[in-house]
Amino acid sequence: MAEVLPSDEHPAIRETETFLGCGYCHEAFPEKRELQVHIKMTHEGKEYHSVPAPMPQREQGLLKKAPSMAISRNIPLSEVNRHCIPEDCWVALNGKVYDLSEFMDRHPGGPTTIVAWAGKDASKFFNDIHKGVKIDSYLRPEAYQGDLGLDESLMSDSFYHTLREARIAEVKEELDRVLSQVSGGTKADSVQRLLQDKNITPELKLKLQRLETQKRAALDSEDYAKAAEIKKSLEELLADDDHAHLHDVPLETTACNIPLSEVARHNKPHDCWVALNGTVYDLSDFLLHHPEQRNAILAWAGRDASAVWNKIPGRFPSANWMDFFMRPEARMGEVGPEPSVDPKMAQIRQLQDELWKLEGPSDEEIQAAKAAMAKVPGTATSKEPLGEETRFPKLKEITAGKDLPFFSRAEVAKHNSAEEPYMIIHNKVYNLKTLMGSHPGGDDILLSRAGTDATKDFEVFEHSEKARVQRDRDMLVGQLVPAEATDWNAEATVAQVTGEEPSETGRYLRYKAYDVAIGAISWYLYKTLQNRKPLSQFTYSRALRHLHLIMAVGIFGAVGTAQAAQHCEGQTKKQLLWWHKQTGIAMLGAILMRIFFRMRSGIPPRFPGNKLVQMIETQSLRVFYALAVLLPVSGIANEYFLKWAPGSESTGKEEDDKRNDRLAKQSIDTHKILGKFLQYAFLPFHLGYTTMYHYSQGRGVVRKVSPFI
């Protein structure tokens, strides 16, 4: 058996526990259970016997390898757990580990969701929400840290951390050696490094963390203007005479000859620069007014997007997109050469970054991050309280100083008629009389919940803070007695408000439905390729026949989801309405394509027959085109007047809010009337008369429209 480690061995290794050597051979193991298995499998019949042993040559070889090979690949979950603050946020997804610290501010769902899963395996949650999404297409290459899980046959979890501690000692030693060669020391050149600096005062660190958290809360609500204001406040704090000497964080921006390293600093929605064909553009103001363009642009925020120029015409970045959207004031300057960098400083930065990655946040830093988040409403994690006043602070101003009477649930239940409809929402009692006749969802939905607690139904739909403030200002009449109130702040997740989580059986059936849909589409494409015979003059063109079939499926899908939503509650109802909206928008695009193809393609001559029948067929088609356009347009108009139309917040006129509510109500009423006419009148008539007419002429209606015959 080899001797123990000499005294000049690496200090991080000397301080670890002695390895357990096998008493029957030269193998050594860091844990007792591993040696027990070895003796049982290799020395059958022998008793457990261990002797002190040095680190095996295999592990010593791993220790001498580059850190990216010895430390960064095959990461145990215990290592992921350590990186659990916004500034150092690791998340495991489907067997891979990513550092999402930089990405969280660009996340389409906001940073709060990512912070809630910091240091955890979020695979199940991610797959439920983003089925089929490729996360690598949204992340920078450097975000990938390694694969999750160690190969226990090569390295144990404890030995992984032994290697990590040894590497930390090496990096510190190397960092001290390089720092001793640099006169004047070094200062942090970014806010992230400044937060990592252990020499800054706790007061400054707390202020920086609080501003960063407030910025994330603004980004979470897509309030880019507020995020930009917070960024200015942070720069003013760093520019203060008391703090300016502590860092080298760049605070001013040059207007020409901008190096890509400077562009890389501006990679957030409120501070978004993109380099394109040698020119730097500031798209922050564009994102403020066009949030729908956010994902395509933010994928290249702080980067050179020339590589994908004109890859997808009409989308960013392409020539026709630039011609339509780009404004002269967005141009910042030309891409310039990179400034010279002291090799020693570059080496120091590299070592500091590696040390930060290996050490992870300390307990004090984790507590400081939690304290900073606790100071900002709406930034709680998955345990976020659900009370309205917690999420929407303006509501407190409405009820402040009011002496509201108390109601019991039994008293509220008596007010369930159109003359005086009461409703309970978040333990408050409202008289909905003034809302009757102007509610965008119609009076029926209000009367169906009159006299009851409608909190869950209310939260299913995305009521804005403006709508909630107006509701409390105009309709609040009292509050529930404390003994009967529900503590919404004690609720753990939004699923407890909007509906229960789906069962395992329900989730399985949902995934099977996706498989069936994929199979149906595959069969459709296969049959299309197999049936390409010449068409008769008495049939539609091939493109029209495909559109005819696709639109038939889409129309019945839109009608079916609307009918199903009327018989469901909670989250299920919300999901069905979402599918109804998406199907309607898809049908609007399809009908426009159908009109285009019908104008450009050969239209078959009308079948011979009675002129009255021909007139009915012609008018029926015109009614169909009108319905197919008006139905989705009226639905889109309702969404516009509810969410996007300028109101009192931008114009300062309360009559604008009333106008928007009135137009939204008219739009949804029109949408419902047209939908009922389509469902109960037009579809039965259209399908009935076409089928009977073609059958009477000896022709099958399926043969006329099927693309497979």
Side-chain angles (χ1 to χ4, degrees):
M1 179 63 62
E3 298 180 359
V4 296
L5 290 171
S7 59
D8 61 347
E9 189 57 81
H10 197 288
I13 305 302
R14 289 202 312 272
E15 294 173 1
T16 60
E17 296 181 3
T18 305
F19 277 71
L20 302 174
C22 175
Y24 307 102
C25 65
H26 293 283
E27 291 289 336
F29 303 89
E31 296 183 0
K32 181 178 179 180
R33 62 180 180 84
E34 297 179 1
L35 178 57
Q36 289 174 331
V37 172
H38 166 76
I39 293 175
K40 185 176 180 179
M41 300 298 294
T42 308
H43 309 285
E44 188 174 357
K46 299 288 186 179
E47 295 182 355
Y48 174 79
H49 179 49
S50 67
V51 295
M55 177 183 292
Q57 292 295 325
R58 178 185 60 195
E59 279 77 6
Q60 290 186 16
L62 284 173
L63 187 62
K64 294 177 181 178
K65 288 184 179 180
S68 61
M69 297 181 63
I71 304 297
S72 297
R73 294 295 181 263
N74 292 333
I75 302 170
L77 189 59
S78 59
E79 174 67 13
V80 179
N81 297 153
R82 298 172 54 251
H83 302 267
C84 58
I85 64 174
E87 292 77 24
D88 186 15
C89 175
W90 287 16
V91 177
L93 294 172
N94 298 325
K96 296 183 178 181
V97 179
Y98 299 95
D99 183 354
L100 303 183
S101 310
E102 180 273 337
F103 172 70
M104 66 171 61
D105 289 341
R106 297 187 290 112
H107 179 225
T112 299
T113 305
I114 293 180
V115 173
W117 288 96
K120 303 175 185 177
D121 187 343
S123 302
K124 183 176 181 295
F125 178 80
F126 177 85
N127 293 330
D128 285 346
I129 303 298
H130 303 292
K131 185 175 176 62
V133 172
K134 295 182 179 180
I135 185 65
D136 293 323
S137 62
Y138 288 87
L139 300 178
R140 310 283 197 255
E142 58 270 19
Y144 172 67
Q145 300 299 306
D147 294 334
L148 179 66
L150 294 173
D151 185 349
E152 288 291 336
S153 64
L154 298 176
M155 184 188 301
S156 66
D157 189 292
S158 61
F159 185 66
Y160 172 92
H161 292 287
T162 299
L163 289 177
R164 183 178 61 81
E165 292 295 334
R167 181 59 186 167
I168 288 175
E170 289 182 351
V171 173
K172 285 183 176 179
E173 181 180 337
E174 180 68 11
L175 186 59
D176 290 340
R177 184 187 67 80
V178 178
L179 284 173
S180 65
Q181 301 174 3
V182 178
S183 59
T186 62
K187 297 179 182 179
D189 61 348
S190 66
V191 175
Q192 182 178 2
R193 284 201 175 99
L194 189 58
L195 287 171
Q196 299 167 15
D197 191 347
K198 295 180 174 56
N199 296 322
I200 67 171
T201 62
E203 294 79 9
L204 175 59
K205 188 171 186 176
L206 182 60
K207 290 179 181 179
L208 291 173
Q209 284 181 321
R210 192 168 298 171
L211 286 171
E212 286 289 310
T213 306
Q214 290 173 350
K215 183 184 69 177
R216 291 190 190 97
L219 293 174
D220 211 35
S221 59
E222 297 187 0
D223 191 347
Y224 303 157
K226 184 175 181 181
E229 293 177 2
I230 296 172
K231 177 178 179 291
K232 290 182 180 179
S233 300
L234 189 145
E235 291 179 343
E236 290 174 358
L237 176 65
L238 295 178
D240 188 270
D241 293 339
D242 294 336
H243 309 135
H245 66 284
L246 300 175
H247 65 87
D248 288 328
V249 179
L251 301 179
E252 296 182 359
T253 302
T254 57
C256 59
N257 295 327
I258 305 170
L260 290 178
S261 57
E262 172 66 17
V263 176
R265 294 197 311 111
H266 305 268
N267 61 352
K268 307 300 181 187
H270 61 287
D271 184 20
C272 176
W273 289 14
V274 177
L276 197 57
N277 296 333
T279 304
V280 178
Y281 298 93
D282 183 357
L283 301 180
S284 309
D285 188 63
F286 177 84
L287 286 177
L288 182 64
H289 297 94
H290 298 274
E292 69 279 359
Q293 304 276 346
R294 148 187 233 276
N295 293 347
I297 294 176
L298 287 181
W300 294 95
R303 305 169 70 189
D304 188 340
S306 303
V308 293
W309 171 254
N310 265 349
K311 186 175 182 180
I312 306 178
R315 293 190 60 186
F316 177 86
S318 62
N320 46 9
W321 187 95
M322 296 282 287
D323 291 340
F324 187 83
F325 287 110
M326 192 58 65
R327 299 291 179 266
E329 57 269 21
R331 187 178 184 277
M332 297 291 295
E334 302 300 320
V335 175
E338 292 293 326
S340 59
V341 179
D342 184 356
K344 289 293 182 184
M345 292 302 300
Q347 185 180 7
I348 290 173
R349 298 301 184 202
Q350 183 180 3
L351 290 170
Q352 287 176 335
D353 290 342
E354 183 181 353
L355 184 61
W356 165 253
K357 175 181 174 181
L358 292 170
E359 287 186 324
S362 63
D363 292 339
E364 294 77 12
E365 289 170 330
I366 294 174
Q367 294 301 321
K370 290 181 178 179
M373 286 190 288
K375 298 290 185 180
V376 181
T379 59
T381 61
S382 59
K383 301 294 184 181
E384 179 180 358
L386 299 172
E388 275 193 315
E389 293 186 351
T390 303
R391 293 177 290 146
F392 304 99
K394 287 185 179 180
L395 295 178
K396 294 181 180 180
E397 302 174 5
I398 306 300
T399 56
K402 287 187 177 180
D403 187 13
L404 297 172
F406 288 100
F407 290 83
S408 66
R409 292 184 182 270
E411 290 174 327
V412 175
K414 297 177 182 178
H415 300 269
N416 58 358
S417 64
E419 287 74 23
E420 198 174 35
Y422 279 17
M423 185 180 289
I424 303 170
I425 300 176
H426 285 287
N427 300 323
K428 297 176 183 178
V429 181
Y430 299 92
N431 186 346
L432 307 179
K433 182 66 176 179
T434 58
L435 192 59
M436 300 294 289
S438 60
H439 183 244
D443 296 345
D444 293 341
I445 192 171
L446 297 179
L447 293 176
S448 66
R449 295 293 183 267
T452 67
D453 190 331
T455 304
K456 290 185 178 182
D457 300 275
F458 182 81
E459 289 296 342
V460 164
F461 300 94
E462 300 175 358
H463 291 89
S464 64
E465 185 174 34
K466 179 182 73 173
R468 295 170 192 259
V469 168
Q470 184 177 350
R471 177 205 62 194
D472 279 17
R473 184 184 296 123
D474 300 338
M475 292 174 281
L476 182 62
V477 295
Q479 56 186 323
L480 279 181
V481 294
E484 297 183 0
T486 301
D487 186 6
W488 294 106
N489 285 320
E491 298 290 346
T493 63
V494 177
Q496 291 175 293
V497 169
T498 59
E500 296 298 327
E501 286 290 324
S503 64
E504 291 299 324
T505 302
R507 188 177 292 110
Y508 172 79
L509 293 177
R510 185 178 63 190
Y511 288 162
K512 289 294 101 179
Y514 291 144
D515 296 338
V516 170
I518 293 173
I521 294 173
S522 301
W523 175 86
Y524 179 84
L525 295 175
Y526 171 76
K527 295 293 290 183
T528 300
L529 293 174
Q530 293 296 316
N531 296 274
R532 292 179 288 182
K533 298 177 182 179
L535 301 178
S536 165
Q537 64 173 342
F538 293 107
T539 59
Y540 288 114
S541 66
R542 183 75 67 182
L544 278 174
R545 293 169 76 184
H546 280 291
L547 273 176
H548 196 287
L549 180 60
I550 294 172
M551 289 191 66
V553 175
I555 289 171
F556 281 102
V559 172
T561 50
Q563 286 291 309
Q566 294 180 7
H567 299 87
C568 298
E569 301 294 339
Q571 189 70 5
T572 303
K573 183 174 184 176
K574 184 176 183 179
Q575 291 174 347
L576 287 170
L577 289 175
W578 184 87
W579 278 110
H580 175 73
K581 294 176 183 178
Q582 307 313 310
T583 307
I585 294 174
M587 287 304 97
L588 177 61
I591 192 62
L592 296 177
M593 289 179 61
R594 181 170 176 177
I595 294 172
F596 173 79
F597 281 124
R598 197 169 181 87
M599 293 175 63
R600 295 178 62 89
S601 304
I603 303 175
R606 186 182 305 281
F607 286 115
N610 188 285
K611 291 188 177 299
L612 177 62
V613 176
Q614 292 180 350
M615 184 191 71
I616 292 175
E617 182 183 14
T618 300
Q619 299 306 322
S620 173
L621 288 174
R622 290 175 178 173
V623 171
F624 168 72
Y625 283 122
L627 288 173
V629 172
L630 292 176
L631 271 167
V633 167
S634 59
I636 293 172
N638 174 256
E639 290 279 313
Y640 171 77
F641 290 117
L642 277 179
K643 298 180 180 179
W644 304 307
S648 59
E649 291 185 349
S650 57
T651 63
K653 300 177 181 179
E654 292 188 5
E655 54 266 24
D656 289 339
D657 290 336
K658 297 179 181 179
R659 173 183 58 84
N660 291 338
D661 292 341
R662 184 183 73 256
L663 293 175
K665 174 68 166 52
Q666 293 174 355
S667 300
I668 198 64
D669 287 345
T670 303
H671 186 77
K672 290 180 176 179
I673 293 172
L674 292 174
K676 290 180 179 178
F677 176 76
L678 173 72
Q679 180 179 354
Y680 297 113
F682 177 78
L683 285 180
F685 168 75
H686 181 73
L687 295 176
Y689 99 79
T690 52
T691 302
M692 293 303 297
Y693 173 71
H694 290 294
Y695 179 77
S696 67
Q697 299 296 319
R699 295 183 297 269
V701 68
V702 175
R703 179 170 292 275
K704 179 185 176 185
V705 299
S706 173
F708 307 134
I709 299 176

